[in-house]
Amino acid sequence: RDSLKAFDYVKQNLAGANLPVIVYGESLGGGVAGYLASNRKVDAIILQSTFSSLPEVAASNTKVLSIYPPILYPSKCLDTSSVLRKNHPPTLIIHGTADYTISSEQSEVLYKNAVAPCRLALIANAWHGLYPTPWSDDFDFFVSGFLDDFKAGRLTAREDVSALRTPHQ
């Protein structure tokens, strides 16, 4: 609810500015960004180091929770996968492959569930916090490329762009 109130406040106070609305969510914020995008009109979504749904990440991170039935989770379980299974704005999913907080497999699940347009960028050997780190240049490369393509209207397909950048050594 806080994200919706903040979004509404910004939209009201920038009325007439005619700026695109790009929702950015990192880690737990990815679930909030997905929730926001399912309840308000946004122009693009950037998800960094996030998970597909709260029950799924809980089960993968804490083995005892894997026996916990998903039906017992709260109804609003930050299920970004369900948001991306429907028509959605252009989306960038970016994740480090050495993330031990939230496995990059979670972002791969999001990408597999997403309908076009969606772009996946996995950064080899990067951990959970991508910025500022030795991987900052890789992060900047993928985000700026996504934003440039968004502005130019070139985001129309599903793309795994992970191999476009030489992994940081």
Side-chain angles (χ1 to χ4, degrees), residues 94-169:
I94 187 167
H95 211 127
T97 62
D99 186 341
Y100 297 106
T101 304
I102 299 173
S103 170
S104 60
E105 291 174 1
Q106 289 288 307
S107 284
E108 292 179 74
V109 168
L110 283 172
Y111 178 69
K112 287 175 188 167
N113 287 323
V115 296
C118 187
R119 187 173 281 180
L120 175 67
L122 297 177
I123 300 176
N125 305 316
W127 55 67
H128 190 66
L130 293 173
Y131 206 90
T133 67
W135 300 279
S136 297
D137 289 343
D138 300 318
F139 175 84
D140 290 345
F141 172 81
F142 288 119
V143 172
S144 64
F146 176 79
L147 294 174
D148 288 346
D149 289 346
F150 169 76
K151 286 189 279 189
R154 291 189 296 256
L155 297 172
T156 58
R158 289 172 31 92
E159 304 172 279
D160 183 344
V161 295
S162 304
L164 291 180
R165 183 93 172 158
T166 303
H168 179 79
Q169 302 298 322

Side-chain angles (χ1 to χ4, degrees), residues 9-168:
Y9 176 83
V10 169
K11 285 296 280 186
Q12 287 173 351
N13 288 294
L14 290 178
N18 202 24
L19 297 171
V21 176
I22 301 171
V23 176
Y24 175 90
E26 178 183 356
S27 192
L28 179 62
V32 176
Y35 175 78
L36 180 60
S38 70
N39 286 282
R40 297 293 187 270
K41 184 188 177 318
V42 300
D43 298 303
I45 306 169
I46 299 175
L47 301 170
Q48 178 196 329
S49 305
T50 195
F51 50 85
S52 58
S53 72
L54 188 58
E56 200 166 317
V57 74
S60 70
N61 283 11
T62 310
K63 294 305 174 199
V64 72
L65 290 178
S66 64
I67 62 170
Y68 193 75
I71 196 161
L72 296 178
Y73 279 89
S75 61
K76 302 238 189 297
C77 56
L78 301 177
D79 186 357
T80 307
S81 262
S82 70
V83 174
L84 296 182
R85 280 187 196 105
K86 303 171 191 163
N87 285 335
H88 58 83
T91 302
L92 170 65
I93 303 168
I94 187 167
H95 211 127
T97 62
D99 186 341
Y100 297 106
T101 304
I102 299 173
S103 170
S104 60
E105 291 174 1
Q106 289 288 307
S107 284
E108 292 179 74
V109 168
L110 283 172
Y111 178 69
K112 287 175 188 167
N113 287 323
V115 296
C118 187
R119 187 173 281 180
L120 175 67
L122 297 177
I123 300 176
N125 305 316
W127 55 67
H128 190 66
L130 293 173
Y131 206 90
T133 67
W135 300 279
S136 297
D137 289 343
D138 300 318
F139 175 84
D140 290 345
F141 172 81
F142 288 119
V143 172
S144 64
F146 176 79
L147 294 174
D148 288 346
D149 289 346
F150 169 76
K151 286 189 279 189
R154 291 189 296 256
L155 297 172
T156 58
R158 289 172 31 92
E159 304 172 279
D160 183 344
V161 295
S162 304
L164 291 180
R165 183 93 172 158
T166 303
H168 179 79

